[in-house]
Structures are given as C-alpha cells and as structure tokens.
Amino acid sequence: DADVTQTPRNRITKTGKRIMLECSQTKGHDRMYWYRQDPGLGLRLIYYSFDVKDINKGEISDGYSVSRQAQAKFSLSLESAIPNQTALYFCATSDPTSGITSTDTQYFGPGTRLTVL
Amino acid sequence: EDQVTQSPEALRLQEGESSSLNCSYTVSGLRGLFWYRQDPGKGPEFLFTLYSAGEEKEKERLKATLTKKESFLHITAPKPEDSATYLCAVQAASGNTPLVFGKGTRLSVIA
C-alpha cells in the first residue's frame, strides 16, 4: 500500500462549488504539505503543518483553507472553486531528523487532478 | 529570500548521449539540497540529498554533485526510461522552513 494517499485522484467541478481534497499517510510523519503544480510554474506551496496544532500559509494560500484532523490526515478545501484553480494538487509529508546529516526529505502522494469549469 | 533556478528548462538527448542539468541556489545557510524525479501526472520521487560542498551521490546512471552555489545532476549514457522532469530543492539551515523548489528541467531521451 502507498505511504501517502490522496483522494479523489481526479475531480471535475463547477465554478462556485466547495471542494475538499484529502491526504492520508502511514509514514508516521509529523509534517504535511499541500502544493499545486501548473505547467511552467513548478510546485507552489499552499499550506503546511509541522504538527497537529500548527498550520502555516504558503506562498499561494488565498482561496484555500486546510484542516489537520490528526497526525495522519491533512485536508485542503476550496470554499468556492474558480477556473484558475484548475491544477494538479500534491500532498507531501516529511519527518526531520537530527545530526550532522539531518534531513527533512519530503515524500509526495500521487496527486489529484482538479478541473474547475 | 531563498531561491532555486534550474537550467535548461528542457533538454533533448539521444540515447547514450551524456549531459548535465544545473541547479543554482541562494539560501541562508544550506541544510540540504534535494533532487527529485517526476514522471508526467505523478508525484515527485526522491532521488538524493546533498549536504555540503564537494559531496557526490550516485544512483544508476545519475550522479549529483554540490558546490557552494550550485548542484549538477550528471546523466551518463541515458536511456529512454530516464525521460522525466528533474526537480531541485533546497532547505535553509534552520530546518523550520519548507523546501524551496526550482521549476524543473524536462528531460527527453530519444532512442
């Protein structure tokens, strides 16, 4: 089974609808992230959470909200979807280690392709 | 502000034609530099972490190197299955900020 899962994998919706994208992980990581990816723009960070009680805005949080229901679950909501939110959305997790070669490697889910008409 | 620039944006190689991808970065103290591979429509897949200038890591036909200002991903004798987008990212020394990603290099290897 995949360590990081995203549901749904594909979603087509209409302008003005509320949409929720869900992310679950079995890696036991404290840190979770939501990104969107658009052609030519790369990965852009929407929100991130370093633990259940910690939520932080990324570079493009407007129009989005998140909920960290548990260590293993992090949901992204579009309160009123608009066409320019059409993109590929990725969830990621990480678990920073300590020491000389400490690392905060992020592990990504398979993505959700969202189309807003 | 931490920043990552990757070049070229796209690269087309013949099978067996070795080349390098570049990742230039500015960061307030480097904790780690990361390379990822991404296939179309899929999530990025972790390849390497480099920590300090002079460090090298290898995996099959890929070798990543690091200097104080840039990293190179060398691809030796590539095969069509190496076709993908390669992403570079950095993390600042504090470790309490997320990774900063470049826009990637799209590699196509033609048989």
Side-chain angles (χ1 to χ4, degrees), chain A residues 6-113:
Chain A
Q6 293 184 234
T7 56
R9 294 294 314 281
N10 288 282
R11 182 71 183 268
I12 300 173
T13 191
K14 295 182 178 180
T15 297
K17 294 290 187 181
R18 184 178 188 275
I19 297 297
M20 179 179 285
L21 308 183
E22 299 187 340
C23 177
S24 295
Q25 54 115 346
T26 59
K27 299 181 78 68
H29 289 173
D30 284 331
R31 297 183 173 188
M32 298 187 74
Y33 310 80
W34 275 105
Y35 292 89
R36 66 177 281 177
Q37 188 173 44
D38 301 273
L41 295 179
L43 284 167
R44 292 185 292 168
L45 185 63
I46 306 172
Y47 271 97
Y48 62 102
S49 170
F50 281 178
D51 65 45
V52 175
K53 297 181 180 179
D54 175 74
I55 303 289
N56 303 280
K57 293 182 177 180
E59 64 176 297
I60 55 161
S61 59
D62 287 349
Y64 301 94
S65 63
V66 291
S67 173
R68 184 82 185 266
Q69 302 95 324
Q71 184 200 42
K73 295 184 183 295
F74 193 34
S75 300
L76 176 72
S77 294
L78 288 67
E79 297 301 325
S80 180
I82 56 177
N84 77 358
Q85 292 177 314
T86 294
L88 194 53
Y89 289 83
F90 289 105
C91 173
T93 74
S94 72
D95 183 23
T97 60
S98 59
I100 295 173
T101 56
S102 63
T103 181
D104 197 14
T105 305
Q106 290 185 14
Y107 297 91
F108 286 80
T112 294
R113 185 170 297 280

Side-chain angles (χ1 to χ4, degrees), chain B residues 4-78:
Chain B
V4 176
T5 303
Q6 293 188 246
S7 61
E9 290 185 12
L11 181 62
R12 186 180 172 98
L13 300 174
Q14 292 293 320
E15 184 173 3
E17 179 187 3
S18 301
S19 189
S20 297
L21 313 182
N22 177 261
C23 170
S24 297
Y25 66 91
T26 55
V27 65
S28 53
L30 180 68
R31 184 180 192 189
L33 183 140
F34 304 79
W35 281 99
Y36 287 82
R37 170 192 170 124
Q38 185 178 22
D39 293 306
K42 297 189 176 181
E45 177 187 346
F46 170 70
L47 292 173
F48 306 109
T49 307
L50 301 168
Y51 299 97
S52 58
E55 188 175 3
E56 298 183 354
K57 288 197 175 173
E58 291 188 60
K59 181 178 182 179
E60 297 182 356
R61 294 174 293 282
L62 302 176
K63 183 169 79 172
T65 62
L66 181 65
T67 72
K68 290 186 177 180
K69 294 183 178 180
E70 58 191 351
S71 176
F72 292 93
L73 186 64
H74 306 279
I75 303 175
T76 302

Side-chain angles (χ1 to χ4, degrees), chain B residues 91-105:
Chain B
Q91 188 174 33
S94 71
N96 288 325
T97 55
L99 304 189
V100 175
F101 282 85
K103 294 181 179 180
T105 293

